[in-house]
Amino acid sequence: DCTATGGANLDTIDNLATLLTAGRLSNENKDKIKKAIENTGADTQAGVRLAQQLIATTPEFHTTNLLTPNGKSRQKQSTQPSSNNDYRAIVYVYLGGGVDSFNMLAPHTCPSTTDETANTYDKYLAIREHVALRSDITLEIDARTSSQPCISFGIHPSLPILRDLYNEGSALFVANAGLLVKPVNKTNYKEQTPVQLFAHNTMSRETKQLDLNGHMSGSGVVGRLKDVLTKIGYSTDSFSISGDTMALMGRPGLNPPPSVMSSSGLTALNAEPSMTGMDDLIRDLNDATSEDSGFMSETWASALSVAMDQHSILYSALEKVSNSKSFPDNELGRQLSTVSRLMKTQVQRGVNRDMFYVSVSGFDTHSSVGPRLIEKFDEVNSALDAFVNEIKLQGHWERTTLIQFSDFARTLSPNSGGGTDHGWGQHIFALGGSLKGGRVLGDYPDDFSEKSPIALSRGNMIPTTPWDAIWNGISQWHGVTKKSDLDEVLPMRNNFPAEVLYNINDLYRMDSKIRPPFSYEQEEMERDLEGMGTL
């Protein structure tokens, strides 16, 4: 027992070094810890606790390598304030559990075809039965310019923010979209889709990775986008406000990992230190190493130092900003509140491309789909309403694209519990001030029966628009225009006909084209933009 007889004396620290690092603790680090404890004048128990805490931050504690300090301090990370002129942000909103999107965007007014008496709305009512979203309660939107089977659609009454933004031209829907490796129908989808369909874990993971053939193993679609943007010359950041996510993971070694924050923001590092100047001492214990120092110990020391610097920069920036609008105190509201605060720090962080991930759970509606969607869509609506108003006040609305995804859709045919079960093709929405909104893209199904080549049992629809199509246009808007770079972000996109993939002009207004960074060759950028319609 180190505290029983020796107190926090030199022998105790030597014993702790042996117990906690198997004797690897360098003499230099051991002396720093001894000196710190002597200077604090701490009592025995406090001295031992401080020694334990300090040793636990060293490379020798976390690795089995020996450390050889070179006596020099590491250069602190710093940022250069960026311009606000070419800032862009992507906000990835994930509705976990498989949202019933046929009750988010339902047929409203649909003309009958010449050879049929039932129109799309009638067919929808027939297969949805008692869970159908009837037209007399929905929020009608005009779709006459969208080449769909209906001239208008109905948005769930709990989502008025989507109706309002759609009508002002800042929101669009993509109908019957989903995870695909190539175009399929119901005769070949099982063989041609290498994923366990209709399962939460696999569909959620692969939607975020978007690499069913494993060409970019271990990375996510937003992470690869960040990698390419960094290579081109943009200054980038990525944040998850909802735990670790595959969506933001880039390829190893190309970029720092994404920052993971709680929905309440960032807390102070080591908020209750055991001594004055403890953070500076931790940096000293992880100072620069010589060439013959162990690789793993240097990796730890470098990573810790960078993390502390990044935390300091971000914490300082966030402390200086607050939102002008109030956000609802719910799961999504708290996350989007933090996102909007982070966007306010863009200049101080020195970035011109941001990527954010947020999520809200509870959409696995195997029972009581009607009441549960009212509850969940109310939460989504209030959070989006606050976020949009805040971003507009910040002047970032035209610089932001918010895109929503989910595991999958639900069967159109209900189950016996008043719910709906796991499906595939789903309708999603995108929001942003630069979008060419007021449209329903994709192909809204007009036949939900098994006679349709894309309808499985119980109205489970095979997607006709791949996720790659949406990301293709968003990636171009964010700054990726070279074909090889788009292929890196979207390794499956060449499996689809060119006309299936949206480009920047399909999704965004002409005045929202990106400006190239200084490091990107202007003539190559202009050539790629001219040929963008065929990329």
Side-chain angles (χ1 to χ4, degrees):
D1 185 343
C2 295
T3 64
T5 57
N9 57 31
L10 302 186
D11 289 339
T12 298
I13 297 172
D14 288 335
N15 290 337
L16 284 171
T18 300
L19 288 169
L20 299 177
T21 70
R24 292 186 299 274
L25 190 66
S26 67
N27 289 329
E28 292 87 346
N29 278 351
K30 195 183 299 182
D31 289 341
K32 291 175 183 177
I33 294 172
K34 290 177 178 178
K35 183 177 180 180
I37 293 174
E38 289 173 352
N39 290 341
T40 62
D43 59 33
T44 298
Q45 186 175 8
V48 171
R49 183 172 62 250
L50 176 58
Q52 292 171 327
Q53 292 171 340
L54 293 172
I55 292 173
T57 69
T58 64
E60 297 96 325
F61 176 80
H62 289 274
T63 73
T64 57
N65 285 175
L66 294 177
L67 181 76
T68 309
N70 66 8
K72 298 179 181 179
S73 298
R74 293 184 187 275
Q75 184 174 358
K76 282 193 173 186
Q77 298 283 312
S78 61
T79 61
Q80 294 295 324
S82 70
S83 167
N84 193 43
N85 294 333
D86 193 34
Y87 176 64
R88 301 287 167 92
I90 292 173
V91 183
Y92 187 126
V93 177
Y94 197 79
L95 306 183
V99 64
D100 193 327
S101 57
F102 279 92
N103 272 20
M104 178 174 73
L105 184 70
H108 189 282
T109 303
C110 312
S112 298
T113 59
T114 56
D115 58 342
E116 293 181 336
T117 57
N119 59 37
T120 303
Y121 177 66
D122 294 332
K123 297 173 188 176
Y124 168 85
L125 290 181
I127 193 168
R128 289 247 96 175
E129 301 177 8
H130 55 282
V131 303
L133 194 64
R134 302 189 68 86
S135 61
D136 58 345
I137 67 167
T138 60
L139 306 173
E140 186 178 11
I141 55 171
D142 191 336
R144 285 174 291 183
T145 62
S146 297
S147 301
Q148 298 294 347
C150 302
I151 61 174
S152 68
F153 289 92
I155 296 175
H156 193 283
S158 294
L159 291 168
I161 183 65
L162 298 186
R163 185 268 316 273
D164 296 344
L165 293 175
Y166 182 96
N167 287 341
E168 75 173 38
S170 298
L172 59 80
F173 291 91
V174 183
N176 200 34
L179 179 68
L180 290 168
V181 70
K182 60 176 65 173
V184 295
N185 56 44
K186 64 184 182 183
T187 66
N188 64 6
Y189 77 93
K190 290 183 180 179
E191 294 77 18
Q192 300 294 332
T193 311
V195 65
Q196 185 181 353
L197 293 168
F198 321 123
H200 290 294
N201 58 336
T202 53
M203 295 297 282
S204 175
R205 182 184 68 242
E206 298 299 342
T207 292
K208 295 164 187 174
Q209 285 189 282
L210 214 56
D211 180 25
L212 284 172
N213 291 323
H215 293 304
M216 305 286 182
S217 181
S219 65
V221 59
V222 184
R224 295 191 299 272
L225 175 57
K226 179 183 177 183
D227 289 344
V228 171
L229 289 168
T230 301
K231 177 180 68 175
I232 290 173
Y234 288 102
S235 177
T236 63
D237 246 343
S238 60
F239 299 88
S240 172
I241 321 298
S242 187
D244 290 323
T245 176
M246 178 57 70
L248 299 184
M249 295 304 298
R251 301 182 71 185
L254 298 183
N255 257 318
S259 300
V260 179
M261 297 174 55
S262 75
S263 59
S264 59
L266 200 63
T267 58
L269 181 68
N270 197 14
E272 298 181 2
S274 299
M275 60 170 284
T276 302
M278 187 173 181
D279 290 354
D280 291 335
L281 178 55
I282 292 172
R283 293 177 190 275
D284 290 345
L285 294 172
N286 290 273
D287 266 347
T289 60
S290 61
E291 292 183 359
D292 62 347
S293 188
F295 172 77
M296 297 305 294
S297 60
E298 164 59 21
T299 300
W300 164 266
S302 174
L304 178 61
S305 298
V306 169
M308 292 181 71
D309 291 343
Q310 290 177 336
H311 181 279
S312 176
I313 293 168
L314 185 55
Y315 183 79
S316 175
L318 281 173
E319 284 290 285
K320 299 173 183 176
V321 299
S322 60
N323 289 321
S324 301
K325 292 290 184 178
S326 296
F327 281 71
D329 187 19
N330 57 41
E331 185 179 5
L332 187 58
R334 290 187 293 271
Q335 293 178 59
L336 288 177
S337 174
T338 296
V339 169
S340 63
R341 288 180 62 214
L342 284 165
M343 291 174 70
K344 263 190 169 179
T345 69
Q346 164 256 328
V347 172
Q348 292 87 345
R349 288 184 287 115
V351 301
N352 48 28
R353 290 295 183 271
D354 264 333
M355 285 139 275
F356 303 98
Y357 174 86
V358 299
S359 71
V360 58
S361 58
F363 287 93
D364 194 17
T365 51
H366 288 288
S367 62
S368 305
V369 61
R372 292 184 65 186
L373 280 184
I374 291 173
E375 175 189 349
K376 297 308 297 182
F377 283 159
D378 278 343
E379 175 180 353
V380 171
N381 188 80
S382 62
L384 290 179
D385 185 60
F387 178 72
V388 170
N389 284 314
E390 174 65 32
I391 296 307
K392 285 181 175 180
L393 282 176
Q394 292 183 17
H396 285 150
W397 180 230
E398 284 73 24
R399 309 175 191 279
T400 301
T401 295
L402 183 148
I403 181 75
Q404 169 262 314
F405 295 95
S406 190
D407 313 20
F408 36 64
R410 318 293 297 188
T411 56
L412 277 102
S413 176
N415 57 35
S416 60
T420 50
D421 300 317
H422 298 181
W424 192 357
Q426 59 185 287
H427 317 313
I428 65 170
F429 61 81
L431 315 176
S434 291
L435 283 172
K436 194 184 292 183
R439 297 176 299 150
V440 179
L441 304 180
D443 298 299
Y444 203 100
D446 62 354
D447 184 0
F448 311 112
S449 73
E450 293 186 44
K451 295 178 182 178
S452 167
I454 62 167
L456 305 177
S457 62
R458 298 182 58 204
N460 182 359
M461 310 307 297
I462 297 173
T464 47
T465 298
W467 293 144
D468 301 73
I470 298 105
W471 280 114
N472 195 67
I474 292 175
S475 297
Q476 291 173 0
W477 175 79
H478 221 48
V480 180
T481 60
K482 287 178 64 177
K483 183 180 185 300
S484 59
D485 289 339
L486 287 167
D487 292 344
E488 184 175 339
V489 177
L490 302 168
M492 300 188 298
R493 78 183 191 110
N494 290 319
N495 298 341
F496 301 96
E499 60 270 18
V500 171
L501 302 176
Y502 301 127
N503 61 51
I504 188 174
N505 295 324
D506 294 323
L507 299 182
Y508 294 91
R509 299 194 311 270
M510 294 295 291
D511 59 356
S512 69
K513 284 185 177 179
I514 40 79
R515 301 185 317 178
F518 179 76
S519 62
Y520 201 51
E521 297 181 11
Q522 180 69 33
E523 62 273 15
E524 187 171 41
M525 183 74 162
E526 292 174 349
R527 183 173 65 251
D528 287 331
L529 281 170
E530 290 174 2
M532 195 169 287
T534 59
L535 285 182

